[in-house]
Amino acid sequence: MSRPRIVIVGAGFAGYRTARTLSRLTRHQADITLLNPTDYFLYLPLLPQVAAGILEPRRVTVSLSGSLPRVRLVLGEADGIDLDAHTVRYTGPEGGEGTLPFDRLVLAAGSVNKLLPIPGVAEHAHGFRGLPEALYLRDHVTRQVELAAAALDREECAARCTFVVVGAGYTGTEVAAHGAMYTDAQVRRHPMRTGMRPRWMLLDVAPRVLPEMDERLSVTADRVLRQRGVDVRMGTSVKEATHDGVVLTDGTTVGTRTLVWCVGVRPDPLVESLGLPMESGRLLVDPHLQVPGRPELFACGDVAAVPDLTRPGEFTPMTAQHAWRHGKVCAQNVAASLGIGERRPYRHRDLGFVVDLGGAKAAANPLGLPMSGPAAGAVTRGYHLAAMPGNRVRVAADWVLDAVLPRQAVQLGLVRSWSVPLESASPEVARVPGRPEQRDGDAVPAGGPAGAPGGDTPDQRPDPPGGEPAKQQPGGEAAKKQPGGEPAKQQPGGESAKNQSGGEPARNQPGGEPAKNQPGGEPAKQQPGGEPARQQPGGEPAKNQPGGEPAKNQPHAPRATGKPRPPGKSDRPGKARKPTRAAGASRSAGPGADPGPEPPENQPAPGPDIAPGPVKRTDGRTAEGDS
């Protein structure tokens, strides 16, 4: 008799605890598969310390394969669930598709950033839900302080050293508290020419800081923030965001280059496709974390609306504390459904919360006892060390080093602005440029059609008046990223993109020689035996058709034969998400048509500290950000 198959979607607090407990309870009596976009478990409460340079990124991660030896790890993102066929469809990080059959399914896909219909926020703000976002924020804040220190104009200096955090909940409060300490330490070592200092703002429509927690924690956190110079504004939020600043709901305009979005989270949209009863975007389950009428389906963590037995009529909140305990009870009930042990309902008593405010300051109420100052700081860090499933010694060592040594304020540039968009189904995975995908046999560049939000495709708009090709660089340069060195064909008119406004060929070397990708220096050819691409006016057109026929300069000739993907489709490999295609549609891992590494056209342009790359702009001007 074959062993039962258990599939767990997501490896957050709930999914990781479920897998670890199940592997111990079943003892090789079941096949356990964990589907997750990354190969690590992320300890989210310490993420603000990564952004502030206290902890190294790997300190807050735990290897899944190393800590779950009896669990099969599958890297991928769930595309759809067929409850009748007992299968989960997923897409791997390199575009390959697969199917996982199951006898028991545990949904623990977690949550994503909550978006509000505020103009400009999706384009200019960044969230704080994953490791890539924390790394980007650390680099970005470091760069802004360095640019502000070198600026002679007081208005530019003020905008660059102003940092706006929206959302005074658990995450936003810690980001503002740690960020203020980080930038103050930078300025002490490198004072600004204009004599200005960094300014942090914390905004929220709520009446107080940490509105969902005990009021005594709120008072302590508010006092510490104000002592550090943080501009705390309650009852205020962002009305509009632009590249140069934000307009607040009270009518104030604040010049800034940094907008951190911490307004909250929403359940992963994957569960919406099941057609089962929901509660505020979460899947309704019984006290045993089982979906009524579906004995094979369990849900826990942020995607599950679990009845709170201690407060009849309410559901447990979306916190890491509840998700961690959901996982243990869910594993016990899944094992009980296989005849191992007995079922038990989820019942949890609040043990208190801790908020790390940086340095020796913290706010905590363990077992309902309010604490502040160094005592609360010791309790807070002790709690985190006890709660982490690994890396305790390394984390403690980093804390000791941070107490005796200055932090390294350097920007590595590993995560770019456009790779961590606010609107993402997988905030824990950085966007990969030009990931090829196919749909129904037609090649489609990852990210959807040109002009779609978050797309990575090249610009497909017609030429501007005058017949000049569209320019994608701030200075009017067109991107060239085609295999073999050919100029990018992005215009409906069929003209090849030129890097120089006067029609000169692309120069990849400082000396101005055209790019050669052949050992003998010959220009690249797109077809075996074809003619070299001509980029001069009057020259031969590039041959990119089978048989060596030149491209036709028809006004409506498309640049790719790919079928446009539906708007809103996620373009990144990673976390489980809601499927956006009809049943039966599939994507192969074959190469896409002209994937190109260009970032989305609605993302900020490269900053002056990064070598310019093929970044597209729609407004024709240079803006600070990563290329």
Side-chain angles (χ1 to χ4, degrees):
M1 181 178 179
S2 62
R3 296 186 297 182
R5 299 161 298 184
I6 304 173
V7 174
I8 304 171
V9 179
F13 280 91
Y16 179 83
R17 188 99 189 261
T18 300
R20 193 173 73 169
T21 306
L22 265 175
S23 65
R24 177 178 54 86
L25 293 176
T26 57
R27 296 185 181 277
H28 302 287
Q29 299 180 42
D31 291 329
I32 305 173
T33 301
L34 181 61
L35 177 63
N36 197 59
T38 64
D39 64 348
Y40 60 82
F41 160 79
L42 176 63
Y43 189 75
L44 274 171
L46 292 181
L47 206 57
Q49 298 192 25
V50 174
I54 300 175
L55 297 177
E56 289 301 312
R58 287 186 296 177
R59 303 294 188 260
V60 298
T61 62
V62 178
S63 170
L64 296 178
S65 57
S67 58
L68 303 173
R70 293 188 293 272
V71 176
R72 176 194 173 205
L73 173 64
V74 175
L75 294 178
E77 174 184 3
D79 289 327
I81 299 172
D82 191 334
L83 295 177
D84 296 329
H86 284 206
T87 57
V88 176
R89 299 191 312 273
Y90 71 92
T91 302
E94 296 183 351
E97 288 193 334
T99 302
L100 297 175
F102 64 84
D103 298 306
R104 298 291 185 273
L105 176 63
V106 178
L107 292 179
S111 55
V112 297
N113 291 313
K114 179 192 292 184
L115 302 179
L116 298 178
I118 300 177
V121 166
E123 293 79 16
H124 302 287
H126 291 279
F128 202 80
R129 288 290 300 164
L131 199 55
E133 293 171 322
L135 292 176
Y136 167 74
L137 182 61
R138 183 169 71 177
D139 275 3
H140 176 77
V141 170
T142 304
R143 177 172 57 255
Q144 294 307 308
V145 173
E146 292 171 347
L147 293 175
L152 298 177
D153 182 69
R154 290 185 62 85
E155 184 177 348
E156 178 187 358
C157 180
R160 291 195 179 279
C161 64
T162 298
F163 308 95
V164 179
V165 181
V166 184
Y170 183 95
T171 301
T173 300
E174 288 196 339
V175 168
H178 283 280
M181 291 187 64
Y182 180 60
T183 53
D184 285 346
Q186 282 185 268
V187 173
R188 281 196 297 268
R189 291 195 295 271
H190 303 286
M192 298 183 183
R193 297 183 184 182
T194 58
M196 303 185 69
R197 299 191 62 82
R199 175 192 182 194
W200 283 79
M201 298 182 65
L202 182 61
L203 313 176
D204 202 309
V205 295
R208 60 184 175 89
V209 176
L210 301 174
E212 71 278 7
M213 298 185 183
D214 188 272
E215 187 173 356
R216 290 169 291 188
L217 293 179
S218 174
V219 172
T220 300
D222 187 273
R223 182 179 66 252
V224 172
L225 290 171
R226 295 182 187 275
Q227 288 174 351
R228 290 184 182 161
V230 178
D231 186 358
V232 181
R233 299 192 184 186
M234 295 294 99
T236 306
S237 188
V238 173
K239 181 179 180 181
E240 181 182 359
T242 65
H243 170 71
D244 299 321
V246 295
V247 179
L248 306 184
T249 52
D250 60 4
T252 307
T253 300
V254 179
T256 182
R257 302 291 192 273
T258 307
L259 182 59
V260 187
W261 195 254
C262 303
V263 298
V265 296
R266 59 188 176 93
D268 190 283
L270 172 71
V271 296
E272 298 176 2
S273 64
L274 299 178
L276 298 174
M278 309 284 290
E279 172 63 33
S280 300
R282 295 194 284 174
L283 193 61
L284 275 173
V285 297
D286 60 22
H288 300 90
L289 301 130
Q290 193 170 24
V291 176
R294 288 287 181 177
E296 77 283 3
L297 181 60
F298 295 78
C300 55
D302 290 348
V303 298
V306 182
D308 191 343
L309 298 182
T310 62
R311 299 177 181 178
E314 298 184 15
F315 298 95
T316 58
M318 297 168 58
T319 64
Q321 187 176 120
H322 280 288
W324 185 253
R325 288 161 176 80
H326 283 176
K328 180 179 180 180
V329 175
C330 184
Q332 293 172 337
N333 292 335
V334 171
S337 69
L338 301 176
I340 303 173
E342 297 181 357
R343 293 204 313 166
R344 54 170 292 189
Y346 177 76
R347 186 186 300 271
H348 172 63
R349 183 171 64 91
D350 186 7
L351 302 178
F353 287 91
V354 294
V355 182
D356 191 345
L357 300 176
K361 301 295 182 66
N365 62 345
L367 301 178
L369 178 65
M371 302 177 65
S372 61
V379 170
T380 298
R381 296 200 169 184
Y383 169 79
H384 286 317
L385 287 179
M388 286 194 68
N391 286 347
R392 296 185 180 94
V393 175
R394 290 186 172 92
V395 169
D398 275 3
W399 284 341
V400 172
L401 292 176
D402 180 70
V404 299
L405 297 175
R407 299 180 195 174
Q408 292 180 300
V410 295
Q411 47 171 321
L412 302 178
L414 300 178
V415 181
R416 314 298 175 87
S417 167
W418 50 265
S419 64
V420 284
L422 179 63
E423 188 174 3
S424 171
S426 303
E428 73 277 17
V429 179
R431 169 178 291 170
V432 178
R435 181 174 67 88
E437 290 187 5
Q438 287 189 355
R439 178 181 173 86
D440 298 334
D442 293 332
V444 182
D456 281 332
T457 58
D459 197 352
Q460 294 181 349
R461 292 171 296 177
D463 292 342
E468 289 297 321
K471 311 293 191 235
Q472 295 177 344
Q473 301 296 341
E477 301 296 326
K480 295 190 182 288
K481 299 304 277 187
Q482 303 301 327
E486 289 298 321
K489 303 289 194 287
Q490 299 174 352
Q491 309 305 325
E495 292 296 323
S496 60
K498 300 177 177 59
N499 271 358
Q500 305 298 333
S501 57
E504 292 297 323
R507 312 292 187 189
N508 286 350
Q509 305 299 330
E513 290 299 321
K516 308 282 195 300
N517 59 1
Q518 303 298 334
E522 292 297 321
K525 301 179 176 56
Q526 289 179 328
Q527 299 295 335
E531 291 298 322
R534 306 300 171 84
Q535 299 176 350
Q536 303 298 332
E540 292 295 325
K543 308 288 181 70
N544 54 12
Q545 303 296 333
E549 290 297 323
K552 306 299 182 184
N553 292 331
Q554 299 299 327
H556 301 290
R559 61 175 292 272
T561 58
K563 182 188 299 183
R565 298 196 313 178
K569 180 175 177 62
S570 176
D571 58 342
R572 296 168 46 199
K575 176 176 155 178
R577 66 180 178 190
K578 172 183 174 182
T580 56
R581 63 178 183 274
S586 63
R587 295 175 300 174
S588 70
D594 181 22
E598 290 89 358
E601 62 180 339
N602 59 354
Q603 297 296 331
D609 58 318
I610 302 296
V615 181
K616 297 181 297 177
R617 295 287 302 175
T618 58
D619 52 8
R621 60 188 177 91
T622 303
E624 188 280 327
D626 289 319
S627 63

